[in-house]
Amino acid sequence: EFGLYVDLTVEENIYFYADLYGMSRNGRRTRVDELLDFSNMRPFIQRRAGNLSGGMKQKLGLACTLVRPPPLLLLDEPTVGVDPVSRRELWSIVYRQVKELGMSVLLSTAYLDEAARCHEVILMHEGKRLGQGSPESFSEPMRGRTFRVTASGLGKRTLQTRLSAVPGIVDAIIEGEQVRVVTATPGLPDLSAVSADSDALHTQPADPIFEDAFITRLKGDQASDRTPLVSESRQAAIAISENDAVIEVRDLQRRFGDFYAVKGVSFSVQRGEIFGLLGPNGAGKTTFIKVLLGIVRKSGGAATVLGRAAGNRAARARIGYLPENLR
């Protein structure tokens, strides 16, 4: 799993790879210390690899690979399931190898912001090459076809839904309090169907980014008659009530020995609500979900799901669950 030995500690994994690469004992200490420091793994050197979060395993796997720096590094979607902070740290490690050691890197990724970091990219779809060049060579031809839109009196999700249905708009995505749109041809199409009050709509040009070109090419560079994933009528039908909680959590705790994976967490989730648990890898998000499912027992506090105690068999039968790692 991740090329790691789950029963060995972080430090033992790195030294084991040093042994495999035949590094001398005199030269390895400096390199290991360097890897522990710029991967921010030093606080976890005595933790078993099997007890690390997915993102931390990715960083440890990269550290093990770089114990003896190779001239060519192949990265196959290295940041899947990795939080934004750890992604930055991982990229910092890669950039450092390129700058200081002249390492070449071949990266496969589904994250467009990562593709934009590359010197050159090949855009692929269904096994075929759709284009090749620098990220700028993709984005610059999109100038004049990207805009930000706001509408007084309309929520951003409603605005996104309406813009998505306008002929001539290829893509509409929420960006902060605005909606970013990409058009099939230069200029904005007729937006009269979005709002009856034309003065309520506010539009401004936006600088094109690599993602705009990717989405456009993937959709055949044509506007689509697609149906929005969530219609306005469906959005309105889901009423959120404070008395209709599907999850209730009060001072929830989960302890592993002296280590608290979850400590003192309280919240409720209402019917029809999308509720997010946000935090870096290792923050306790997965442990929390496993407690709600009954896969892991709580150490303290209270939790109910669908009106029953967390882990109740009848409640669990009504829950859909997609784990973080299917391997």
Side-chain angles (χ1 to χ4, degrees):
E1 187 180 357
F2 297 94
L4 303 174
Y5 293 86
V6 295
D7 291 325
L8 298 183
T9 66
V10 166
E11 187 175 43
E12 289 169 341
N13 266 279
I14 296 177
Y15 274 108
F16 182 72
Y17 270 82
D19 286 338
L20 291 178
Y21 289 135
M23 295 182 68
S24 69
R25 294 191 176 276
N26 293 332
R28 69 175 64 180
R29 182 71 252 179
T30 300
R31 181 60 176 170
V32 170
D33 283 342
E34 184 181 49
L35 289 168
L36 288 171
D37 286 337
F38 66 63
S39 66
N40 287 324
M41 294 294 292
R42 184 173 293 281
F44 311 101
I45 58 174
Q46 296 306 319
R47 185 178 297 184
R48 290 174 59 248
N51 293 335
L52 297 174
S53 67
M56 293 171 72
K57 287 177 180 176
Q58 290 283 49
K59 287 199 296 183
L60 177 57
L62 180 58
C64 290
T65 300
L66 295 176
V67 167
R68 187 183 67 181
L72 172 62
L73 180 63
L74 305 180
L75 299 174
D76 186 11
E77 301 196 48
T79 58
V80 171
V82 176
D83 68 83
V85 173
S86 295
R87 284 176 65 192
R88 290 182 182 183
E89 292 172 349
L90 191 147
W91 269 101
S92 176
I93 296 171
V94 172
Y95 276 138
R96 185 167 176 175
Q97 307 309 300
V98 172
K99 181 179 179 180
E100 296 182 359
L101 305 176
M103 187 180 295
S104 298
V105 180
L106 175 65
L107 164 80
S108 72
T109 182
Y111 294 121
L112 302 183
D113 61 320
E114 291 189 343
R117 295 171 180 259
C118 299
H119 296 104
E120 185 174 3
V121 295
I122 292 180
L123 176 58
M124 299 179 65
H125 181 56
E126 295 181 343
K128 299 177 182 179
R129 188 186 71 169
L130 298 186
Q132 180 175 351
S134 67
E136 293 76 16
S137 70
F138 284 90
S139 59
E140 200 53 37
M142 298 297 299
R143 194 165 294 280
R145 295 172 57 182
T146 53
F147 303 86
R148 292 187 179 93
V149 183
T150 57
S152 304
L154 285 180
K156 54 188 176 184
R157 290 181 178 81
T158 299
L159 178 60
Q160 179 194 30
T161 300
R162 294 185 183 182
L163 286 169
S164 297
V166 172
I169 289 183
V170 178
D171 191 45
I173 185 170
I174 293 173
E175 190 178 79
E177 294 304 312
Q178 303 172 315
V179 176
R180 180 187 180 88
V181 299
V182 180
T183 61
T185 57
L188 275 168
D190 180 14
L191 301 182
S192 58
V194 175
S195 174
D197 182 4
S198 59
D199 293 334
L201 283 174
H202 305 280
T203 65
Q204 61 181 19
D207 288 330
I209 57 176
F210 179 71
E211 182 173 345
D212 300 329
F214 177 88
I215 295 297
T216 302
R217 294 200 183 200
L218 211 60
K219 294 181 177 179
D221 211 15
Q222 296 178 354
S224 171
D225 296 326
R226 63 197 177 280
T227 302
L229 290 177
V230 181
S231 68
E232 287 187 65
S233 60
R234 175 60 178 161
Q235 286 178 321
I238 301 175
I240 298 176
S241 168
E242 292 184 359
N243 300 318
D244 198 12
V246 294
I247 298 176
E248 289 274 6
V249 175
R250 293 290 176 268
D251 195 29
L252 192 69
Q253 299 181 26
R254 172 58 193 182
R255 187 178 65 251
F256 296 93
D258 295 330
F259 171 72
Y260 280 89
V262 177
K263 185 176 182 181
V265 178
S266 301
F267 66 86
S268 63
V269 179
Q270 311 303 313
R271 177 177 178 270
E273 182 178 29
I274 300 175
F275 192 97
L277 298 176
L278 179 64
N281 293 115
K285 304 182 299 295
T286 299
T287 300
F288 197 96
I289 290 176
K290 288 182 176 180
V291 169
L292 294 180
L293 288 167
I295 297 174
V296 172
R297 292 184 179 275
K298 60 182 174 63
S299 303
T304 59
V305 180
L306 298 171
R308 299 173 182 268
N312 176 275
R313 185 172 297 179
R316 195 162 53 186
R318 299 174 58 197
I319 298 173
Y321 173 51
L322 179 64
E324 66 169 345
N325 195 331
L326 294 175
R327 278 187 272 184

